[in-house]
């Protein structure tokens, strides 16, 4: 379901204009007012139309992607992203206290830091603990809850939104001032490209990601358990009872974590397995690579046999958190009022590994003052004629 806008500011000149009757599907971006936060900040929403049909709505609060419409096998657009259609639904206490981070930019540190503590150059830093004993997704006031500055852009065959935010020196307990830019681009071929950039004034851990939940069935499809998932990872990082990695790279082979060929998400989600038991399903970091790289690699593919939609995830990041929506319990309702129950959506969060600041063997997440943090993830949507879903 698309959110309807009243006052609309057209920022794009349609590329193929001139034909009054024809539906306008050329790339465009429209800005409008979405609401005001409880602390009085005005929030804008941007409606983006990609060159090949995909549409996205994102707002300045949390950089949250509100909706993402992509075609099914018949060409019908449906919203495959979980979320709400009002700002208040995201800012109210009942949402923030059980925060599922629908569609949000995550930082400064995506995923968990053990007991919210780490050391840099001999100095120990203490962060808020907001997930049992641990720090999760940037703490109590992470990037999902700040109002970002936003500049839309329009290029020959793509449109997008550049979001910027300055996290003040010491914010939330992190060292240094962090200047962050996150860019959403709708590129040809129904691709959502997400670019992250950051610089700091002091050496500090940074791990930025995006927390959209998807259900490729669109609309109010209730479950993702029939989606076929392939993850390009031979190992994952098993966790302790608080979801902190125990430091091991464990092979996925012969375990419910083996998604090296397309497998229904629900096939082994109830398996007798300690790791599945701890998380109540999948909520684990898969090891795409053990070292940093600048090049995009295929991380995961998800296919919904019902709609025919295939989503691919490519990233420069070494890790991928696969979260099967275990904590959704029906207390939040969709844009059309249907409850989001357990496994209503999945998240594939490209990232560095959880708790890296305390794990010497994991790729480093430290950003130094003379460096620029750069990371790219591409979510691609297509409807292949056939898909080999077997091993
Ligand atoms: C991440 C975490 C999960 C959960 C969700 C939000 O994916 O790994 O444990 O906190 O965010 O509910």
């Amino acid at each position: 379901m698309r959110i309807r806008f009243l006052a609309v500011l057209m920022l794009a000149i349609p590329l193929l204009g001139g034909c009054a009757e024809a539906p306008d599907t050329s790339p465009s971006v429209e800005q409008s007012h979405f609401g005001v936060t409880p602390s009085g900040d005005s929030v804008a929403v941007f409606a983006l139309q990609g060159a090949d049909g995909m549409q996205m709505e994102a707002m300045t609060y949390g950089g949250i992607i509100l909706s993402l419409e992509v075609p099914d096998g018949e060409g019908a657009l449906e919203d495959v992203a979980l979320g709400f259609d009002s700002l208040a639904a995201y800012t109210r206490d009942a949402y923030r206290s059980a925060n599922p981070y629908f569609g949000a930019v995550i930082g400064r540190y995506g995923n968990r830091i053990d007991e919210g503590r780490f050391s840099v150059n001999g100095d120990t830093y203490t962060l808020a603990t907001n997930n049992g004993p641990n720090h999760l997704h940037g703490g109590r006031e992470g990037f999902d809850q700040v109002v970002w500055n936003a500049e839309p852009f329009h290029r020959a065959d793509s449109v997008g939104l550049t979001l910027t935010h300055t996290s003040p020196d010491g914010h939330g307990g992190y060292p240094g001032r962090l200047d962050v830019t996150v860019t959403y681009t709708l590129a040809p071929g129904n691709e959502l490209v997400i670019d992250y950039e950051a610089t700091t004034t002091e050496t500090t851990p940074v791990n930025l990601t995006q927390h959209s939940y998807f259900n490729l069935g669109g609309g109010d499809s209730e479950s993702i358990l029939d989606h076929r998932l392939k993850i390009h990872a031979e190992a994952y990082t098993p966790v302790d009872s608080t979801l902190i990695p125990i430091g091991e790279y464990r092979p996925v082979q012969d375990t419910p974590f083996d998604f090296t060929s397309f497998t229904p998400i629900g096939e082994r989600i109830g398996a007798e397995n300690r790791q599945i038991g701890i998380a109540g399903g999948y909520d684990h970091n898969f090891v795409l690579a053990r070292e940093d790289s600048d090049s995009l690699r295929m991380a995961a593919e998800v296919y919904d046999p019902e709609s025919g939609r295939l989503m691919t995830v490519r990233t420069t990041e070494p890790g991928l958190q696969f979260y099967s929506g275990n904590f959704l319990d029906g207390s939040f309702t969709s844009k059309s009022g249907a409850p989001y129950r357990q496994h209503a959506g999945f998240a594939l969060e490209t990232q560095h590994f959880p708790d890296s600041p305390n794990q010497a063997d994991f790729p480093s997440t430290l950003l130094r003052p003379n460096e620029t943090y750069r990371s790219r993830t591409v979510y691609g949507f297509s409807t292949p004629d056939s898909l080999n879903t077997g091993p």
Side-chain angles (χ1 to χ4, degrees), residues 151-389:
E151 283 297 331
F153 62 85
H154 188 268
R155 304 200 180 113
D157 55 3
S158 62
V159 288
L161 195 59
T162 304
L163 299 161
T164 53
H165 171 63
T166 296
S167 175
D169 188 3
H171 184 76
Y174 286 99
R177 188 192 80 213
L178 195 73
D179 289 298
V180 188
T181 303
V182 178
T183 308
Y184 295 141
T185 306
L186 298 193
N190 288 332
E191 288 190 343
L192 166 61
V193 183
I194 308 177
D195 286 297
Y196 304 85
E197 246 185 56
T199 54
T200 182
T201 55
E202 278 180 54
T203 302
T204 190
V206 185
N207 193 23
L208 306 175
T209 191
Q210 222 289 340
H211 210 300
S212 282
Y213 290 63
F214 302 97
N215 185 323
L216 300 180
D220 285 331
S221 299
E222 285 188 3
S223 165
I224 46 80
L225 294 182
D226 283 340
H227 285 34
R228 272 54 164 173
L229 171 65
K230 181 171 181 176
I231 302 182
H232 295 246
E234 304 285 339
Y236 73 108
T237 52
V239 289
D240 68 14
S241 62
T242 70
L243 300 179
I244 293 291
I246 56 178
E248 184 188 329
Y249 293 122
R250 187 173 291 175
V252 296
Q253 199 177 8
D254 299 327
T255 77
F257 292 84
D258 188 348
F259 284 99
T260 52
S261 59
F262 280 99
T263 308
I265 290 173
E267 193 168 287
R268 299 157 306 178
I269 203 166
E272 291 262 331
N273 174 286
R274 183 166 150 68
Q275 287 296 315
I276 295 262
I278 288 173
Y282 297 99
D283 193 357
H284 293 79
N285 170 61
F286 285 71
V287 179
L288 306 170
R290 296 186 189 194
E291 278 155 24
D292 282 317
S293 147
D294 291 337
S295 46
L296 276 179
R297 64 172 79 80
M298 186 63 86
E301 298 162 75
V302 194
Y303 180 69
D304 171 31
E306 199 64 36
S307 64
R309 292 189 180 94
L310 173 73
M311 179 176 114
T312 57
V313 185
R314 289 176 291 143
T315 188
T316 56
E317 287 296 303
L320 180 76
Q321 183 86 4
F322 167 41
Y323 173 56
S324 52
N326 313 328
F327 302 129
L328 299 176
D329 61 3
S331 49
F332 302 124
T333 50
S334 73
K335 294 150 198 161
S336 62
Y340 284 134
R341 297 210 173 84
Q342 193 178 40
H343 313 309
F346 66 87
L348 289 169
E349 304 151 53
T350 55
Q351 57 170 15
H352 272 57
F353 306 166
D355 197 36
S356 296
N358 295 307
Q359 309 249 3
D361 291 338
F362 288 176
S364 173
T365 50
L366 286 184
L367 180 70
R368 294 173 182 79
N370 55 349
E371 299 171 339
T372 301
Y373 174 106
R374 279 198 188 88
S375 166
R376 170 174 281 191
T377 293
V378 181
Y379 293 100
F381 297 88
S382 59
T383 53
D385 290 336
S386 65
L387 184 81
N388 178 8
T389 55

